[in-house]
Amino acid sequence: MKSASGPDVKVMVGGSGVPVAGSDVTPDKYDLSKIVMVDDTAFRALPSAPPAGTVVHDQAGGSNRYVIIDDAALLIGAEDWTAAGYNTRPDMGVPTAWLNAAAQRTVPTGIVVMDQTGADPSRYVMVDGAALHISAAEWTEDKYNEQTLMGVPGKWLKAAVAKSPSNDNVLMDQSGTDPSRYAMLNGAAVPISGAEWTANGYDQRTLMGVPGDWLASTVAKKVANGSIVKDVSGADSTVYVMAGGVAVPLTYADFTGFGYDKRPLEGAPGTWLKAAAQAAPVDGTMLLSPDSNTVWQVTGGKKKAMTADQFGPGKLSFADVVSVPTAFTAKLPTV
């Protein structure tokens, strides 16, 4: 269908008018001779996505099936198809271009989700594409129980649980028990001091409430090894590489010589960064410095030489080794 006032064409799917692109017409076998003209106001008022819970597939073909949640299309895993009852729902073809775009969208922040199969009894709240676990106590105390609960494919949910909100996010405890504010930094939540809150523009970012238990566990995490960071305020121009929770300072020669200039440079709260520069690397951290080919593993604040047979399939990975200046490894006693 279309209206007389414009060229846009839509196909009715589950009571919604899903846009049809020109590239869809031939592969999706849409017959434009059968277009129905409708009132312009009614045409524009049609929802652009099928209702939540609708099962869809690419009109052009293919075996993949998706479930619609808001305007996102979530891939249904083979193990979910029958176990979650998706096989009992009508399976509707949708335009290829629209489906490709919907499959790239994330479930909106604030939506509460659960495993449709029931295999995972937990509840999660979506924040920036990541599914954050809600504890039993928080379910009612933080009023998540008053929000719409949506079932999602279990395979998709596992992947969303493994994600973290992006570095653009500023977080707080939804319950207010913890009054602090935190910035996401490569999988960890790092504290923002009161002075930095306004001086560094964190107050201008969207502040998101998250489950307190999830937040506490994320605050306890170390920023991912190999992350390249600097003071977001610019007061300190030093660039650091994260290694086992330590911010290791780099010279410009280190920065380029180790190839870190090819990685994203992330801004971090200066107060947190100063503390991280004074920390000790956690046990298990693997380090390599340019003075030798020896990979060192940190154990109890000391370094121990590793052997080649410790790496390989099913073992440790060289990808987890962090290159650091010789001065940093030199100050660690040898086991």
Side-chain angles (χ1 to χ4, degrees):
M1 61 177 58
K2 68 184 296 293
S3 79
S5 64
D8 294 341
V9 176
K10 297 179 181 180
V11 59
M12 293 299 297
V13 179
S16 300
V18 182
V20 176
S23 60
D24 296 325
V25 175
T26 299
D28 293 1
K29 298 180 173 60
Y30 289 122
D31 185 352
L32 298 187
S33 69
K34 297 180 179 179
I35 286 179
V36 176
M37 303 298 291
V38 297
D39 174 77
D40 183 67
T41 300
F43 181 80
R44 296 183 183 281
L46 287 169
S48 60
T54 303
V55 173
V56 301
H57 64 269
D58 186 343
Q59 177 69 14
S63 60
N64 286 341
R65 296 297 183 265
Y66 303 80
V67 61
I68 301 301
I69 300 294
D70 205 274
D71 61 350
L74 314 187
L75 182 64
I76 301 172
E79 64 270 37
D80 296 309
W81 179 246
T82 301
Y86 292 123
N87 62 319
T88 65
R89 303 182 187 182
D91 183 9
M92 301 185 177
V94 292
T96 303
W98 180 88
L99 181 58
N100 289 341
Q104 298 301 314
R105 299 186 190 114
T106 58
V107 176
T109 292
I111 297 292
V112 177
V113 299
M114 61 174 283
D115 182 345
Q116 180 68 19
T117 68
D120 177 0
S122 298
R123 302 293 185 263
Y124 303 86
V125 61
M126 297 302 302
V127 174
D128 191 28
L132 313 186
H133 181 262
I134 303 169
S135 71
E138 294 169 317
W139 177 246
T140 53
E141 289 177 5
D142 293 352
K143 298 184 178 180
Y144 290 116
N145 61 315
E146 297 179 7
Q147 300 183 35
T148 301
L149 177 62
M150 296 188 175
V152 295
K155 184 177 181 179
W156 177 90
L157 182 57
K158 288 177 182 177
V161 170
K163 295 179 181 178
S164 296
S166 71
N167 291 355
D168 295 329
N169 289 281
V170 177
L171 309 177
M172 62 173 285
D173 183 344
Q174 176 71 14
S175 71
T177 303
D178 177 0
S180 299
R181 302 293 184 263
Y182 300 88
M184 285 301 301
L185 185 58
N186 289 7
V190 299
I192 304 167
S193 70
E196 293 171 312
W197 177 248
T198 52
N200 294 341
Y202 287 114
D203 60 324
Q204 302 301 311
R205 303 187 189 184
T206 301
L207 178 61
M208 298 184 181
V210 296
D213 284 3
W214 177 89
L215 181 59
S217 68
T218 309
V219 170
K221 290 181 179 179
K222 305 299 182 185
V223 175
N225 285 343
S227 298
I228 308 301
V229 299
K230 67 176 296 184
D231 186 340
V232 72
S233 73
D236 176 6
S237 61
T238 304
V239 175
Y240 301 81
V241 61
M242 298 304 302
V246 182
V248 181
L250 302 170
T251 64
Y252 184 75
D254 296 328
F255 180 56
T256 56
F258 294 148
Y260 291 144
D261 55 325
K262 305 297 191 298
R263 299 185 183 182
L265 179 58
E266 308 290 354
T271 302
W272 170 85
L273 188 56
K274 288 178 182 178
Q278 301 301 314
V282 297
D283 285 357
T285 305
M286 295 184 291
L287 306 171
L288 177 66
S289 51
D291 59 314
S292 76
N293 291 325
T294 302
V295 175
W296 302 96
Q297 188 171 51
V298 176
T299 304
K302 300 179 180 181
K303 65 179 185 287
K304 182 179 181 179
M306 303 184 71
T307 58
D309 62 2
Q310 291 178 272
F311 296 89
K315 301 178 182 179
L316 297 171
S317 171
F318 284 109
D320 296 324
V321 177
V322 184
S323 294
V324 295
T326 300
F328 183 75
T329 53
K331 68 182 181 181
L332 294 173
T334 303
V335 174

